Amino acid sequence: MSSLTITAKGQVTLKRDLLQHLGIKPGERVDCEKLPGGELRVRAARPTGTIDGFIGLLAGKVKMEKPLTIEEMNDIAAAGWAGELNDK
């Protein structure tokens, strides 16, 4: 168990081994959850996205002559999962 010191400003510095255990780097965020008995659960904060953000990610980068059919999308997805997708 690691013991941390609280500064006069109420701040805590996580030691390198704790940061590595959480999988975060300096400047990234952590989430704290209050538990009964005066305990805290600290986790690496993982960004959550929206479908709008995902769709907007490719806006203006993909140029197509016509929209793909569902079957064409399924074929592309299956090829990608199988590692058979060729970038052109």
Side-chain angles (χ1 to χ4, degrees):
M1 177 184 286
S2 293
S3 180
L4 305 172
T5 303
I6 310 297
T7 68
K9 292 182 179 183
Q11 298 173 336
V12 177
T13 301
L14 296 180
K15 296 179 180 171
R16 183 172 297 153
D17 67 317
L18 295 176
L19 293 172
Q20 289 174 344
H21 181 74
L22 291 172
I24 59 174
K25 298 176 182 80
E28 294 182 341
R29 301 181 70 82
V30 294
D31 289 332
C32 295
E33 180 182 350
K34 293 183 210 175
L35 300 175
E39 294 185 31
L40 291 175
R41 177 178 293 152
V42 179
R43 298 182 200 188
R46 300 292 178 223
T48 57
T50 64
I51 190 67
D52 291 332
F54 173 73
I55 291 171
L57 185 68
L58 297 176
K61 296 181 182 176
V62 177
K63 295 179 178 33
M64 300 174 51
E65 294 177 18
K66 63 179 180 88
L68 295 174
T69 65
I70 297 294
E71 291 78 21
E72 289 170 325
M73 287 186 247
N74 287 338
D75 291 343
I76 291 169
W81 278 105
E84 301 168 353
L85 194 60
N86 294 326
D87 292 331
K88 295 181 181 178

